[in-house]
Amino acid sequence: MPETNPKQQLGERFREVNGDHPMTDADDVYVSAQFVALEGLCADRGRDVDAVRRLMLGQRLPLPGYLRSDGAEMVPSDLFALADEAGGVELLEAWFIAHWADPVIGKAEWNAYLSGQYVCLHSVTPAAIQRKTCLTTAISASEDEPDAGSAQWSERLHALVDELDALEPAFTAYDRLRFGGPTSRDTCIDAVRARFPRP
């Protein structure tokens, strides 16, 4: 029985994690504008693409963010940046987890990072992940603040929303299918701005 090639294995793993949802033409256009094809990135960086696919399958690097409808594995252009900063792929997991005071939370974030589903950030770093969590938590809790509805409250809320807006890309329809509902941009940026317009 012939061995499954790494590209095929990676496609299967991607669908296990994300479900088997069709990519529309609009999805493909969005993804091509925001991400790069793994094969092209590896060629540019002098890396063996199948070796990188094996690192993804071995949970040493994150899965692709998207599979375009032509089968291209789409990844962030800075895919290798964190491993380089950590001192190599072997050191990446410990380096990543160490950014959280609670190693249990750090490990959970590492697993989320490996899923490739952190397509909610322009740049996926521990600092950006932590800031996004802080912002979405604060925005979601804002209506319970004592001065909710005041001019000062509105100013604080919109400052949080603007900061989150700068961290997050637009998302695409495919994301709402694989995540089973609205994205954080839908709930914490667009809905908040619609419900509480700037004075």
Side-chain angles (χ1 to χ4, degrees), residues 14 20-33 66-72 74 171-178:
F14 179 90
D20 197 1
H21 306 293
M23 288 281 282
T24 66
D25 290 346
D27 292 332
D28 282 344
V29 168
Y30 169 82
V31 170
S32 297
Y66 300 88
L67 281 188
R68 213 167 49 192
S69 59
D70 63 359
M74 303 302 288
F171 293 98
T172 189
Y174 172 83
D175 293 315
R176 294 169 182 91
L177 292 175
R178 69 161 153 189

Side-chain angles (χ1 to χ4, degrees), residues 11-131:
E12 289 168 359
R13 173 73 65 79
F14 179 90
R15 283 182 279 275
E16 282 172 18
V17 170
N18 294 283
D20 197 1
H21 306 293
M23 288 281 282
T24 66
D25 290 346
D27 292 332
D28 282 344
V29 168
Y30 169 82
V31 170
S32 297
Q34 298 278 342
F35 294 81
V36 297
L38 179 62
E39 290 189 2
L41 182 64
C42 288
D44 290 345
R45 301 291 166 86
R47 291 179 181 255
D48 178 271
V49 67
D50 277 344
V52 171
R53 287 175 177 132
R54 289 187 191 98
L55 288 171
M56 291 174 167
L57 290 164
Q59 297 190 302
R60 312 303 287 277
L61 283 174
L63 295 176
Y66 300 88
L67 281 188
R68 213 167 49 192
S69 59
D70 63 359
E73 304 123 322
M74 303 302 288
V75 297
S77 60
D78 62 354
L79 174 67
F80 304 118
L82 288 191
D84 291 345
E85 192 175 339
V89 171
E90 281 68 33
L91 302 173
L92 178 57
E93 180 177 357
W95 175 90
F96 187 101
I97 291 171
H99 283 80
W100 278 265
D102 183 341
V104 174
I105 295 173
K107 181 68 173 179
E109 291 292 357
W110 168 251
N111 290 332
Y113 170 70
L114 287 178
S115 75
Q117 292 186 337
Y118 261 122
V119 296
C120 53
L121 292 167
H122 286 296
S123 182
V124 183
T125 65
I129 291 167
Q130 289 167 342
R131 190 60 188 151

Side-chain angles (χ1 to χ4, degrees), residues 185-198:
R185 172 168 286 281
D186 297 330
T187 57
C188 290
I189 299 174
D190 297 342
V192 173
R193 284 176 173 164
R195 192 169 172 204
F196 305 108
R198 290 181 191 276

Side-chain angles (χ1 to χ4, degrees), residues 145 147-160 196-199:
E145 291 177 15
D147 64 342
S150 71
Q152 293 86 350
W153 173 85
S154 179
E155 192 175 323
R156 287 198 312 273
L157 176 62
H158 282 283
L160 295 171
F196 305 108
R198 290 181 191 276

